[in-house]
Amino acid sequence: MSPSPASVPFIDALREAGSLRLPGSGLAWLDAARRENLEAFIAAGLPDTRAEAWKYTALRALGQRRFALGDVAAVSHPVDPYALTLPGIDGPRLVFVNGVFRADLSRLEALPPGLSLQPLSRVLENDPEPLRFALNRHYREAGDAFAQLNAALAGDGVVLRVAPGVRVNKPIHLCFAGTPAQGDAAWHVRNVIELGENAQIDLVEHHLATAQHKHLGTLVSDIVLRDGAKLQHALLQNAADESTLIRRGSVHLGAKAHAAMHVLELGGALVRHDLHAQLRGDGARFDTRGVFVLRGRQHVDTQLSIRHQALNTASESIWRGVADERSRGVFRGAIVVAEGADGSDASLSNKNLLLSAQAEIDTKPELEIYADEVKAAHGATVGQLDERALFYLRSRGLPNAEARGLLTAAFCRAVFTALPNETLRDHFSDALLARLPS
């Protein structure tokens, strides 16, 4: 049984310092929401494996750690701007280092008409009222601990708005870098993204480490697509080997809106990604493709939830996992077709490879249907490399390690064939290959 919140160092540190150092905004509604969320987090503590959403991810070790709060997290070593670049991505860029906005590393000059891209801290100073709905959130569900923590302590983040009918031609790069600080730091970022009717953007979210560290980062993103809007979202996560990264994304789609996400999870010691989508408008579509490649004692947990709420909506989710050595992967994919969402078309596929006898992958597909004339399918597998294919490659003269690498790479690469940016797709492939066992 988990210790009570009163005996957990992680919670003690927040009691001692966090409640006294909440990011003050001067906005009564925001400060009240922050304090309520912090108090709820301290009262409930970290979730344990008795909570269904955290069944396969234990947080006991995290609960025994203390993280520096406030200004210490902002102390960062020099960052080479070149380390932040991605091939094929030369548009606007917003950079955060240990959760702190870095204007010197960002690229915000000459934004195209109809695109607003600003750090949250600046918007809260100049025009906070449009953010009231997004930020005045009170999380109360079981397992919402890190959303509560983020809502309480996030002092910065991304505010991205695209005007109706605007198509932004160059990809928008959101970069979250971790770098050594004075001790282990905790940072929290909140993103608010809204695409107006028939707007269209390509978004690249990039998590990386400039050097090794053991920080904790939480990131919460609220994404809204108005009717007819289109979003291509590529996410590359290559955090420090011993870091902890907890992310939560909510995507709301209007009529005929379309969001497509491509996710590559490579880094981090403990990584959690909660992704929730609500298809609220007739004809909305949400597609996801994802891969995690794990080694050592990494633990990556992906929780995907898609809710069809309108007529003729569609979703397709294809996820792959690879675990080597003593690593552990977790995937839960839940699809709900609500009452009245007639004509929906939903599919979910999760396939996984174990490259070691000590590795583990837990997968749980779920499907609930409450509507008529629905097409739906879901499935999951966990296995090893095809021995026949491996024998074929070996019989053609390939060494065992090279043959295994080729088969594993092909298994993963299939997920990225639909990524439209060819240069970025090649970079994803190269990063994936570099992570696979040699």
Side-chain angles (χ1 to χ4, degrees), residues 313-356:
T313 54
S315 66
E316 183 183 44
S317 299
I318 301 174
W319 290 74
R320 302 283 170 90
V322 177
D324 196 14
E325 299 174 333
R326 298 181 64 84
S327 61
R328 185 177 187 182
V330 179
F331 179 84
R332 172 180 172 266
I335 298 174
V336 176
V337 182
E339 185 176 356
D342 299 343
S344 293
D345 185 349
S347 65
L348 169 68
S349 171
N350 176 230
K351 297 181 180 180
N352 301 279
L353 279 180
L354 296 175
L355 301 183
S356 162

Side-chain angles (χ1 to χ4, degrees), residues 161-233:
R161 299 190 186 98
V162 187
V166 170
R167 176 174 181 172
V168 180
N169 293 321
K170 290 188 175 182
I172 300 167
H173 186 187
L174 307 181
C175 187
F176 305 94
T179 193
Q182 296 177 3
D184 297 343
W187 56 263
H188 311 278
V189 165
R190 185 62 173 265
N191 299 334
V192 179
I193 298 170
E194 181 177 352
L195 277 64
E197 292 185 5
N198 300 310
Q200 185 172 339
I201 63 169
D202 289 355
L203 185 66
V204 179
E205 181 179 332
H206 186 196
H207 298 266
L208 73 154
T210 65
Q212 293 302 319
H213 60 79
K214 298 181 180 180
H215 302 336
L216 163 68
T218 73
L219 185 145
V220 173
S221 299
D222 291 306
I223 303 174
V224 175
L225 276 66
R226 303 298 181 189
D227 295 354
K230 291 181 171 56
L231 169 67
Q232 282 282 347
H233 188 175

